[in-house]
Each structure stands twice: as C-alpha cells, then as structure tokens.
C-alpha cells in the first residue's frame, strides 16, 4: 500500500507540473537561478542514490561483490563523463563487474 | 512521411538509448515490496529518475509513512524541470481542446521534448513552421505513444526477470549491479562542469554522512547540499567573469539539466 500511495502521489504531482503550462499557465516561468538549483538538486539525488545503492550492495554481498562493484561504477562514471551512450556504459559496467567477480572468487 | 507514424519511427532510436535505464528500474521494482505498484510507475510517473527514487527509497524504508513522504517530496522536486519542458511544448497544443492538452501534458518528458522541440523550433534539424499544428500534434502523439510503449514494456521485462528469472539471467547480483552502473552513467556527465562536480560531490558526501538516517531524509539533505554546492560555486565563479560569459554558460547548464533528467 505504501508503494502504491507513493507512486500515485508522485504521478499526480508530476502530472500537475506537466499539465500546468498546457492548460493556461502560459506565462509560468522559473528564474534561471531556480532552474539551475533544481538541476543541481536532481544531479544530487542521482549521486546520493548511487552512494546508497553501492552501500546496499555491500550489505548483503560477499566482500568480493563490493570489491567488484567499485571498479564497475568507476568505469561507468568515466564513460558517462566522456558522453558515451547509455547501452555501452551498462554493458561495460557489467563486463567489468563480471570480470572482477571472476578474478576475486 | 508525416504524422503519428513518423513520430513513432523517429522516437525509436532515441528511446533505445533509454531502455537500459528502464530495464534497471524494472529490476529494482521486482526487488521491491510491491512489484506491481512499482512497475505501474512506468506509466503513472513516466520519469525514470523520480521513479527510481521512489522505488528505491520506499523499498529501503519499509512501510513507515513518514519515509514515503520524503521520497514523494524528493521525486516531485526532481520532476520540477518538467514544468519548463512542458512550457516549451505548449504552443503546439495551444488551439487544441482541453482533454487533448491534458493528455499531451501527461507524457511530457525529456526525449519527447528533444525530438518534438527540435522539429518544431528553430533548432538545427528543425522544421519551424513547416507543418500545420494538427500534423505536429499527430507527430507528438505518435512519438509519445512509442516511447511509453517501449519504456513500459522494457520495465515489465526487467520486473518479471527480477521476480521469476534470476537464474535465467545469471547471478542476482549481476542484475542488482545495474542500478549503480546506470546511476553512474547519469551522474558522469555532470562532472564535466565545476558546478556539476561540486553538486555531485556535495551530495555524495552528505549521502555517506546521513546513511544511517531514515531512508529518504538523507536523500533530501543530499539534494539540498547539491543545490547549495552547485549554486555557491556558480556565484563565486560568476563573480570573476563578465556578463558575456554568464550568458554563454546558460546553455551548458540547460544541457546538464537535460542529461540528468532521463
């Protein structure tokens, strides 16, 4: 029930944001500073989730799992920084992780 | 070729780049407390980053109501950018009836904005003013329908494999590693600019420091730290620059926002 509630409320809130300019709030604008702050906040959410997801991996996995995960994430960060396409980054990250597991176990 | 079919076909290559992210969100949904509800967000939320925040945070936090509220607040903040994207697309629908405008608003998302915005504005490759509004709307609708179909179907595959087929896709950990890898791919481009890097580093440090707080609250603090860190560095940098370079930096900031938005 909690998941349903969260999904429906986020969906409703997002719909309001999406629909407002379509139904007449045509002059609705955000300042450049507000847009920049929101952009940084969204980046921050992804970075925080990244840290949390790696920490979550370390909770249940064997030490070799977390040791293999770190270089995989590092490779994905570098490829993302260089602007490589997402499918390539995912394949490279998984390959590094698999190679790490193979070496460490 | 024009209209809905053209929009649907034009969306396919763009959507393919986003599908690994959908698959990863699907696997996260499969591991959640309520996979059906988590998957339903593929259409109800229809925004990957915010959707992943909700699924991961609610799953990590269990069934405590307060945790869900912080996840909801964080996700809506992430989606606040859609207000700007929708405002850019609204002129196409200005003369349409209200139900059509509401339906068009419901599917506003970055790939659609990139595809339709480039076609209908003066951006390179665009065809400004070349087509009637009705044709532009059919193009928009076809592109949105294709994106929603591919996005939702890919997420369903990820969810089902996560629930029933871990053995079919190898070690379960191979599926779980997809979440941090995809997130790293989204975060990586932000490191190109000093402001983006400051925001990401601020958030990462706060996430580590707050990892023992109830799930969701650490995320909100990390978002606040990122906004403060990025904007503070931006103000310091701007103090040493001319007005001309301030204007030149605006498109880069806009591009950074688009890249994080998937």
């Amino acid at each position: 029930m909690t998941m349903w509630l969260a999904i429906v409320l986020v969906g409703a809130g997002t719909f309001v944001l999406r629909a407002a300019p379509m139904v007449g709030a045509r002059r609705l604008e955000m300042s450049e500073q507000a847009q920049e702050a929101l952009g940084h906040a969204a980046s921050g959410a992804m970075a925080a989730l990244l840290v949390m997801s790696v920490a979550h991996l370390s909770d249940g996995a064997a030490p070799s799992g977390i040791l293999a995960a770190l270089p995989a994430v590092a490779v994905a960060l570098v490829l993302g920084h260089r602007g490589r396409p997402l499918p390539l980054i995912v394949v490279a990250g998984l390959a590094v992780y698999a190679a790490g597991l193979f070496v460490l176990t | 070729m024009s209209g809905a079919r053209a929009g649907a076909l034009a969306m396919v290559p763009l959507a393919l780049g986003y599908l690994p992210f959908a698959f990863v969100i699907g696997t996260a949904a499969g591991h959640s407390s309520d996979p059906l509800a988590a998957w339903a967000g593929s259409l109800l939320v229809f925004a990957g980053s915010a959707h992943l925040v909700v699924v991961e945070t609610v799953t990590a936090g269990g069934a405590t109501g307060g945790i869900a509220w912080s996840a909801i607040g964080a996700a809506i903040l992430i989606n606040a950018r859609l207000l700007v994207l929708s405002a850019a697309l609204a002129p196409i629908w200005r003369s349409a009836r209200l139900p059509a405008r509401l339906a068009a608003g419901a599917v506003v998302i970055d790939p659609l904005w990139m595809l339709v915005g480039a076609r209908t504005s003066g951006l390179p490759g665009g065809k400004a003013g070349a087509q009637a509004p009705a044709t532009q709307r059919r193009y928009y609708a076809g592109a949105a329908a294709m994106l929603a179909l591919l996005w939702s179907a890919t997420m369903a595959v990820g969810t089902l494999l996560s629930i029933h087929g871990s053995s079919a896709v190898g070690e379960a950990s191979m599926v779980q590693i997809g979440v941090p890898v995809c997130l790293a791919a989204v975060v990586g481009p932000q490191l190109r600019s000093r402001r983006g890097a400051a925001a990401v580093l601020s958030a990462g440090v706060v996430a580590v420091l707050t990892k023992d707080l109830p799930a969701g609250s650490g995320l909100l603090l990390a978002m606040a730290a990122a906004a403060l860190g990025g904007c503070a560095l931006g103000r310091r940098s701007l103090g040493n620059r001319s007005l001309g370079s301030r204007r030149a930096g605006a498109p880069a900031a806009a591009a950074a926002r688009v890249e994080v938005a998937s």
Side-chain angles (χ1 to χ4, degrees):
Chain A
M1 187 62 195
T2 303
M3 183 68 80
W4 272 115
L5 182 66
I7 290 289
V8 167
L9 287 177
V10 170
T14 302
F15 178 72
V16 170
L17 291 170
R18 284 168 161 149
M22 293 280 183
V23 296
R26 293 170 191 169
R27 307 298 299 174
L28 196 57
E29 291 179 357
M30 274 192 270
S31 70
E32 196 173 307
Q33 287 86 354
Q35 289 185 46
E36 184 181 353
L38 280 172
H40 289 316
S43 305
M46 295 300 100
L49 266 188
L50 172 60
V51 170
M52 291 171 187
S53 60
V54 172
H56 179 64
L57 272 179
S58 67
D59 287 344
S64 58
I66 186 70
L67 285 175
L70 292 176
V73 169
V75 164
L77 272 174
V78 170
L79 292 177
H81 178 263
R82 293 185 177 181
R84 299 292 185 266
L86 184 59
L88 174 70
I89 298 173
V90 171
V91 169
L94 292 179
V96 169
Y97 182 69
L101 278 182
F102 181 77
V103 169
L104 293 167
T105 55
Chain B
M1 182 168 55
S2 62
R5 188 163 173 239
L9 290 176
M11 178 54 78
V12 171
L14 191 57
L16 286 177
Y18 286 86
L19 295 187
F21 196 35
F23 183 83
V24 165
I25 298 171
T27 62
H31 286 111
S32 73
S33 53
D34 190 340
L36 178 61
W39 170 81
S42 64
L43 293 175
L44 291 175
V45 178
F46 198 48
S49 302
H51 189 186
L52 186 60
V53 163
V54 174
V55 171
E56 290 278 289
T57 311
V58 172
T59 301
T64 309
I67 292 168
W69 285 115
S70 60
I72 291 162
I76 291 176
L77 264 179
I78 291 170
N79 281 345
R81 75 187 187 284
L82 297 177
L83 194 64
V84 179
L85 304 190
S86 182
L89 293 170
I92 301 171
W93 296 89
R94 195 154 285 165
S95 59
R97 296 172 65 187
L98 181 62
R101 278 184 280 154
L102 287 173
V107 291
V108 170
I109 195 65
D110 308 77
L112 190 67
W113 172 76
M114 283 189 267
L115 187 69
V116 179
R119 186 180 172 88
T120 56
S121 74
L123 295 175
K127 299 177 181 177
Q131 294 181 320
T135 306
Q136 291 181 358
R137 286 177 206 145
R138 284 196 294 272
Y139 184 89
Y140 181 113
M146 178 58 78
L147 179 63
L149 176 69
L150 293 175
W151 179 258
S152 179
T154 305
M155 210 175 288
V157 170
T159 305
L160 290 172
L161 280 177
S162 178
I163 295 172
H164 299 295
S166 286
S167 58
V169 293
E171 293 283 326
S173 61
M174 282 296 287
V175 176
Q176 290 168 355
I177 189 66
V179 174
V181 165
C182 263
L183 288 168
V186 172
V187 168
Q190 311 308 314
L191 303 175
R192 288 181 199 152
S193 72
R194 288 176 59 199
R195 295 185 212 180
V200 165
L201 288 175
S202 304
V205 169
V206 170
V208 170
L209 294 176
T210 60
K211 67 182 173 59
D212 293 327
L213 292 180
S217 49
L219 184 67
L220 283 174
L221 290 172
M223 289 173 73
L228 288 172
C231 291
L233 187 66
R235 266 198 291 276
R236 271 178 50 192
S237 303
L238 288 174
N240 299 325
R241 291 182 187 177
S242 66
L243 182 60
S245 57
R246 283 181 68 178
R247 284 175 178 158
R257 283 194 299 278
V258 168
E259 286 181 19
V260 82
S262 46

